[in-house]
Amino acid sequence: MHTRRSVVLGLAGLLATGALAACGDSPNADNAKKGPTVLNVGMPNGPQTENQNPFLSTSAASKSGYRWALYEPLMMWNPVKPADPMKPWLATKAEWSKDYTSVKATIRDNATWSDGQKVTAEDVAFTYKLLRDNEALNTGGLTISDASASGADVTITFKNPQFVSQHKAIAQVPIVPKHIWEKVSDPKAELAKNPIGSGPYTLKSFTPQTATLTVRDKGYWQALPQVKELRYTSYTDNNAQTTALANGESEWSFVFIPNVKTVFIDKDAAHHKIWAPPVLGIHGLYINTTKAPFDDKNLRVAMSMVIDRDDIFNTAEAGYFHPLVKSVTGLPSPAGDAFLAPEFKGKDYKIDIEGAKALLTANGYKYEGTTLKDKSGKAVTLTLTDPAGWSDYQTSLEIVKANLQKIGIEATVEKANQDAWFKNVEAGQFDAGFRWTNGGNTPYDIYQTIMDGDLLKPVGTASPAGNFGRFNNPEATKALRDYQSATEDSVRVEAMNKLQKIFVEHMPMIPVGADNVGGAYSTKQWTGWPDDANPYGAAQPTQANALDVILHLKPAS
C-alpha cells in the first residue's frame, strides 16, 4: 500500500481565504443533550461523479472511502501492525495451505445483505471469480485461479503463493452479492447507484460534493455503530479540506498540511489530532544505477551517509507526514521491527561527512579543491528531478542538493512536468529523484520495488512495476523469489536477512521516510480513534479498515 501524491501536492502558504465550506449546517449542533449522531468525513478530491463501484479505485466510493462502510472484506488487517494476526470479519476464520496457494474461509452465518438476503459462501466465490474474469476490477493484481463454495466454506485458489499478498487476497477485496452482480453485463462500467452491501450503512443520497450514508435498522451481523449518519464530502483541494478541518466542519480526513500546528492543531488543541503511523512502504531517493559513476555502490553509500533525513522530515514533510526512517535497512519502525536482521538491529543511519569522503578516496575518487572527481577524472554531477507541483519533494531535493555539496557533488534540481516525469522514471531516463515504493504485509514489497531483477527493462522501455533505478543484482532477485515462494519460516527469514544486507551494502535507493496511513481527526464529538496508545488500525478514511475505526467511535458527550 502506498500513499498517492494527489494528497500531498503543493501547499506553499497558509490556508486559502474564502474556501467554501462543504456543509453550511452543523448536524451535531443540536445534540448537546442526546449526543452526536453524524460524522463528517472529507477528502480533497474535487467534484465526484456518481459511482459506487466498490472494485474501481477511481469510483467516488473508493476515493472518498465510503465503499468500506457499504461493503466488507473477509478479514480485517491492521497495516500499522502488519505482522499481527488478521481479525475475523465476514469470515469467522481463514486457513491458508502450507504453500499459500489456496485459502479456505468460513463465512459467518448471521450476515445479511442490506436488502435482507443472506450472505453466503456462494456470494464470496462469485466475487473472487468476478475479479478473476474481469482484469479491470482486479486492482490488487491477484492471481486467482478458482473459487468454490461448499456449505459455509469457500476455497480460493491462486496461480502462485500468496504469502506476501495475504492482505490483498482476503482483507482488501469487497465482497458483493451474487444475486445483484450476476445481472451486471459490464462490471467495469457498473456505477452501482443503489449499492447493496453487507456493511452497516446504506447510501441515503449523493451529490457531486457529498455522499450521505445512514445506518441500517436491522440485519447487520454485529452491534450497529453509534455513528448513525456518515457524510463524505469531497473538497476542491488541500486548502479547502484543511480549512474545513480547522473550523470543525470536517472531522476526519487524510490530507497533507504543511504548517500543521498553526493551521490545524492550534485551532482547537484539545480536540484536533494528527496521527501518522508508518507502514511497510517507504519513499526516498532513487538512483539510476546504469549511469556512471552512480553504478558504483561506494558512491551511492557515500551519498546516503550525508543525506540529512531529519531535515527532510522536519522541513519538507512538516514533521509528520512521511515518518522518519532511521534504520540503515530502510525498514520503518515499528512496522518493520519484527523483520529486522539481527546484524542490523539498532543500526540507525547517521550523518558522517568525513566518513563518506574517506570511503570515496579509498575507492579511486579524488578531490580537486572541493570538487569530487570520479575514477576517470570527471567531476561528479547529477540532476535531481521531481514534478514541479510536489512541494514536499521539491523541498527534499533542495536539501539533498545542499547535502551532496558537502562531499563535492554538484547537483541540479529540475522541476519536471508530472506526466513526463512518470514516463521518464519508468523508462530509466533520469539521474535521481524522490519516489515511493509499494507496500504490504511484509517488507517484500519495499525491496521488490527497488531491487527485483525480474522487473529489469532496457533503458527507454517502461518498467511501471518497479526497479526504476535498473538495479541488477542476481542475489537480490533470488532472495526475493525465495521469500515469495517459501513454505517454511526459516527460509523466509534467511531470504529477508539477505535482502537487507544487499540493500545496505549497495544502497540502490536511499531511504528517507515511510508512507503513512494516518489521518487528521477531531475528538470534540467522537472518541475512540486509533493512536499511539491504541494502534488498532489505520486512521486513513480510505483504507480497508475504515469501518473498524467507525465501529470504535463513541460520542464524546
Side-chain angles (χ1 to χ4, degrees):
M1 134 222 352
H2 31 103
T3 331
R4 292 299 80 188
R5 302 303 302 171
S6 60
V7 296
V8 295
L9 299 184
L11 279 177
L14 296 177
L15 300 178
T17 57
L20 294 178
C23 304
D25 57 338
S26 298
N28 290 319
D30 297 326
N31 291 328
K33 294 182 179 180
K34 64 181 181 180
T37 58
V38 177
L39 175 66
N40 293 289
V41 189
M43 288 295 289
N45 296 327
Q48 298 293 295
T49 301
E50 185 170 9
N51 187 343
Q52 331 309 341
N53 191 314
F55 301 112
L56 302 179
S57 59
T58 55
S59 73
S62 296
K63 289 193 288 184
S64 292
Y66 62 86
R67 63 168 166 166
W68 298 114
L70 299 170
Y71 300 92
E72 298 177 291
L74 296 176
M75 306 289 281
M76 192 63 69
W77 174 65
N78 182 1
V80 181
K81 301 179 74 176
D84 282 4
M86 296 186 197
K87 183 191 300 185
W89 209 255
L90 268 186
T92 58
K93 61 181 179 179
E95 299 172 325
W96 286 92
S97 62
K98 186 177 180 180
D99 63 0
Y100 284 89
T101 59
S102 69
V103 61
K104 184 171 78 171
T106 301
I107 310 307
R108 62 179 65 255
D109 61 6
N110 61 335
T112 64
W113 301 108
S114 55
D115 64 1
Q117 293 200 35
K118 183 179 175 61
V119 176
T120 68
E122 286 286 352
D123 292 311
V124 177
F126 171 83
T127 299
Y128 280 86
K129 286 189 280 190
L130 188 68
L131 296 190
R132 179 197 65 186
D133 299 337
N134 294 271
E135 185 178 359
L137 307 186
N138 189 9
T139 55
L142 298 174
T143 58
I144 301 164
S145 177
D146 199 9
S148 59
S150 176
D153 294 330
V154 59
T155 300
I156 308 156
T157 57
F158 301 87
K159 297 176 183 177
N160 56 359
Q162 297 296 301
F163 179 80
V164 298
S165 303
Q166 295 172 65
H167 63 299
K168 295 178 183 178
I170 59 175
Q172 294 184 347
V173 173
I175 305 303
V176 298
K178 179 181 178 181
H179 66 278
I180 299 295
W181 282 78
E182 67 184 351
K183 301 172 185 176
V184 174
S185 59
D186 186 1
K188 69 178 183 298
E190 175 61 28
L191 301 180
K193 290 187 176 183
N194 298 299
I196 303 297
S198 65
Y201 294 93
T202 58
L203 184 67
K204 180 180 180 181
S205 63
F206 181 91
T207 71
Q209 190 175 37
T210 303
T212 301
L213 277 61
T214 187
V215 74
R216 290 167 60 173
D217 58 359
K218 60 181 179 179
Y220 187 51
W221 60 270
Q222 59 179 320
L224 288 169
Q226 296 189 46
V227 178
K228 302 307 177 186
E229 186 169 286
L230 293 165
R231 295 186 183 181
Y232 289 83
T233 297
S234 188
Y235 293 88
T236 54
D237 55 24
N238 285 13
N239 272 347
Q241 174 64 77
T242 306
T243 300
L245 283 167
N247 64 28
E249 290 169 348
S250 183
E251 299 168 281
W252 187 18
S253 183
F254 177 69
V255 60
F256 179 51
I257 309 172
N259 197 5
V260 65
K261 187 175 186 298
T262 300
V263 302
F264 174 59
I265 294 175
D266 288 350
K267 298 296 183 182
D268 186 354
H271 301 110
H272 288 180
K273 308 295 180 182
I274 288 284
W275 189 55
V279 294
L280 287 177
I282 64 174
H283 79 128
L285 190 71
Y286 281 82
I287 302 170
N288 192 330
T289 63
T290 68
K291 291 192 172 185
F294 303 100
D295 55 350
D296 179 6
K297 67 178 182 179
N298 295 301
L299 177 57
R300 300 194 300 268
V301 170
M303 291 167 63
S304 177
M305 293 169 68
V306 301
I307 290 179
D308 192 338
R309 303 184 195 180
D310 288 85
D311 191 13
I312 292 171
F313 173 63
N314 290 305
T315 304
E317 301 298 344
Y320 84 99
F321 197 73
H322 280 298
L324 181 64
V325 170
K326 296 182 178 181
S327 174
V328 294
T329 65
L331 298 186
S333 180
D337 292 348
F339 303 94
L340 274 175
E343 66 180 301
F344 297 121
K345 288 183 178 179
K347 297 280 183 72
D348 292 348
Y349 98 99
K350 60 180 180 179
I351 296 174
D352 187 358
I353 296 171
E354 294 308 314
K357 288 181 177 179
L359 175 64
L360 291 169
T361 55
N363 286 278
Y365 294 82
K366 296 180 180 180
Y367 280 94
E368 190 173 290
T370 58
T371 300
L372 180 67
K373 296 294 187 75
D374 66 19
K375 298 171 187 179
S376 69
K378 293 182 180 179
V380 179
T381 64
L382 82 164
T383 299
L384 305 169
T385 179
D386 274 296
W390 297 1
S391 62
D392 58 332
Y393 275 10
Q394 285 296 325
T395 301
S396 298
L397 294 182
E398 292 293 343
I399 292 171
V400 169
K401 174 182 176 180
N403 295 158
L404 294 179
Q405 284 178 337
K406 296 178 180 179
I407 55 171
I409 298 175
E410 189 65 33
T412 302
V413 173
E414 178 184 86
K415 296 182 178 181
N417 169 273
Q418 182 171 316
D419 290 342
W421 179 85
F422 269 104
K423 291 177 181 178
N424 287 335
V425 169
E426 291 179 359
Q429 297 172 322
F430 71 105
D431 287 354
F434 271 73
R435 201 189 191 282
W436 54 91
T437 70
N438 292 331
N441 61 320
T442 74
Y444 169 86
D445 297 82
I446 293 175
Y447 294 132
Q448 193 258 350
T449 309
I450 300 168
M451 302 194 295
D452 193 349
D454 287 346
L455 300 178
L456 271 177
K457 298 286 193 302
V459 172
T461 300
S463 178
N467 203 345
F468 310 113
R470 269 55 182 177
F471 182 64
N472 190 358
N473 186 297
E475 279 190 283
T477 304
K478 182 179 184 303
L480 285 165
R481 297 293 82 79
D482 288 346
Y483 190 86
Q484 184 181 32
S485 60
T487 58
E488 301 291 339
D489 286 341
S490 59
V491 176
R492 277 190 286 269
V493 169
E494 182 180 356
M496 181 53 62
N497 292 351
K498 184 67 163 178
L499 287 167
Q500 292 174 46
K501 185 176 178 62
I502 294 170
F503 183 84
V504 170
E505 293 180 351
H506 290 261
M507 204 53 63
M509 177 263 221
I510 300 173
V512 172
D515 279 340
N516 87 76
V517 285
Y521 54 77
S522 171
T523 62
K524 186 174 183 178
Q525 299 287 349
W526 299 100
T527 62
W529 302 95
D531 55 21
D532 285 332
N534 189 16
Y536 63 82
Q540 187 174 330
T542 57
Q543 290 290 316
N545 74 299
L547 178 57
D548 196 22
V549 174
I550 294 167
L551 288 167
H552 274 80
L553 298 183
K554 297 178 180 179
S557 57

